[in-house]
Structures are given as structure tokens and as C-alpha cells.
Amino acid sequence: MARRALTTTAAAFAVTAALLLTACGGGDDSSSDDIKGAGNSSNSPSAPASPSAGSDVKRPVTKLPSSFQLTFENWTSSDPVEQAVLNDAKEEVRAGYAAIIANDPDSEAVAFYDTEGVRGQTKEWIKTYTDKNLTVIGELPVFAPKVNVAKDGKGASLSYCTDETRAKTRDRKTGKMEGNPAGTNPYVSYSVSLAKSEQGVWQNASVHSERGGCSK
């Protein structure tokens, strides 16, 4: 269920993202309820997303089903710029899983939160699920965010962790559910670089993931 590694090639990215897919046979779902938000220590997957602070840009609304609980722990900052970064980064994560669940590799929400250079690689990650007729279910906590904003205010870096212990994939046709293979470290660390668009949206510019790179 690891999202992706976008620092090198799309192929390398797909391999990293497929660790849980190997165990689960993939990962993809086509229902949608709520899959976004920017809140405190935990966000309900059924609650609509909150727009980034201080922005009048109309952001897409993504939804997740109750069968996939994507929660964000302590994604808050007293600094309004850092909070804006956290809000948009969170929305990008939610948009990606929403696209898997909706069986939509060409998700407009994903395109909204990704720079042009990253969009194609995110699509390939989504397709590692959708091409195998899989969806994601269960629980995926996203925690320990750390954000740094560049002095010029145009770029930022973000790191965070996920816990795949209770996350699984489900075959859309057979209903078969699978989790990570026995012995797989469920914790995955992410390092993200973001760029601020002309419209004021913080977009993912690169993503690198490492299984076992953090713990809870």
C-alpha cells in the first residue's frame, strides 16, 4: 500500500508502491464518500475537506467510503503558511486514494494537487491498483508530519509516516481481501517536496517513500 517513490523513474516508483500489492494482489476501489481534510489529531473519512487557510481558490472535493478510513494525526501548525502546506499535502494524499477507490487514474483532483512533472507518476501508482481491479479498504493512519517552508515562500518540504497494519486491498470482482505479506514492516516514511502554484496551491513536486523508515 506504500504510495510511491517519485525521485527516480516511474518504474522504480511502481516497484516501491507495489510492496503491499504483492501481498494483496494490488490495491484499488471504486466507491467514494470522503477522502480529504485538514484537521487536528484525527480526521473522519466521511467529513468534507477543509480549504487551505487564507486561500480563495476553489479546491476539488474528494470523498471516501467508510470502508477506507484515512486519518491524519496532528496535522496542525501554529504557522499559517505551514498549515496551508499541510492542508494541501493532505488533500493530495486523499485525492490519490480517492482516485483508486473511484477507479479513476485520470482524477482531476490528483492533477490539481500535483505538478505536471509528478502527475504521470501518480497516475502509474493509481494504475497499479486499478489495472488489477483492486480497491483499498481498512484503516491507514498518516502521522508525524514535519514541514519546512523555503525562505522565498515558493517551496516547501514535508515528511510524514503511514501505518499499513490495518490496510488491505480487495478484489472488486471476487471480494478477496489481502494485506501485507507476513514479516513486512507496516510503517512507511515519505519525503515530499512541494511548490506553490501561481494560484497559491501547494502542489507535490516530488515524492520518495521508504518502507521501515519510521515507527509509531
Side-chain angles (χ1 to χ4, degrees), residues 55-114:
S55 175
D56 57 0
V57 176
K58 185 176 181 180
R59 284 162 166 76
V61 176
T62 11
K63 294 188 175 184
L64 280 176
S66 59
S67 58
F68 184 65
Q69 300 181 34
L70 183 65
T71 59
F72 294 82
E73 302 176 6
N74 299 316
W75 278 62
T76 57
S77 173
S78 58
D79 183 279
V81 178
E82 290 184 359
Q83 188 62 59
V85 174
L86 289 169
N87 289 351
D88 283 344
K90 179 189 296 185
E91 294 303 297
E92 196 275 347
V93 174
R94 296 170 71 90
Y97 284 108
I100 291 172
I101 291 170
N103 198 20
D104 182 17
D106 296 308
S107 165
E108 292 184 2
V110 170
F112 184 90
Y113 288 108
D114 278 354

Side-chain angles (χ1 to χ4, degrees), residues 66-215:
S66 59
S67 58
F68 184 65
Q69 300 181 34
L70 183 65
T71 59
F72 294 82
E73 302 176 6
N74 299 316
W75 278 62
T76 57
S77 173
S78 58
D79 183 279
V81 178
E82 290 184 359
Q83 188 62 59
V85 174
L86 289 169
N87 289 351
D88 283 344
K90 179 189 296 185
E91 294 303 297
E92 196 275 347
V93 174
R94 296 170 71 90
Y97 284 108
I100 291 172
I101 291 170
N103 198 20
D104 182 17
D106 296 308
S107 165
E108 292 184 2
V110 170
F112 184 90
Y113 288 108
D114 278 354
T115 62
E116 185 175 350
V118 167
R119 241 165 260 163
Q121 292 170 312
T122 303
K123 180 177 179 178
E124 289 304 309
W125 167 67
I126 294 168
K127 285 170 63 65
T128 60
Y129 292 86
T130 58
D131 284 356
K132 296 180 181 179
N133 207 32
L134 295 167
T135 185
V136 288
I137 61 171
E139 302 174 19
L140 185 66
V142 187
F143 60 97
K146 295 180 181 179
V147 60
N148 288 291
V149 179
K151 291 183 179 180
D152 62 7
K154 296 180 180 180
S157 61
L158 170 67
S159 63
Y160 61 88
C161 299
T162 61
D163 178 2
E164 299 179 350
T165 301
R166 297 183 179 180
K168 298 181 180 180
T169 60
R170 181 175 63 197
D171 188 289
R172 296 179 189 273
K173 291 183 178 179
T174 67
K176 183 179 180 180
M177 297 181 291
E178 295 187 63
N180 276 322
T184 301
N185 192 312
Y187 296 105
V188 182
S189 65
Y190 292 88
S191 299
V192 184
S193 63
L194 302 98
K196 192 173 184 179
S197 71
E198 293 181 359
Q199 291 72 35
V201 178
W202 287 96
Q203 298 177 312
N204 275 20
S206 71
V207 180
H208 175 74
S209 62
E210 179 184 357
R211 186 168 294 278
C214 56
S215 61

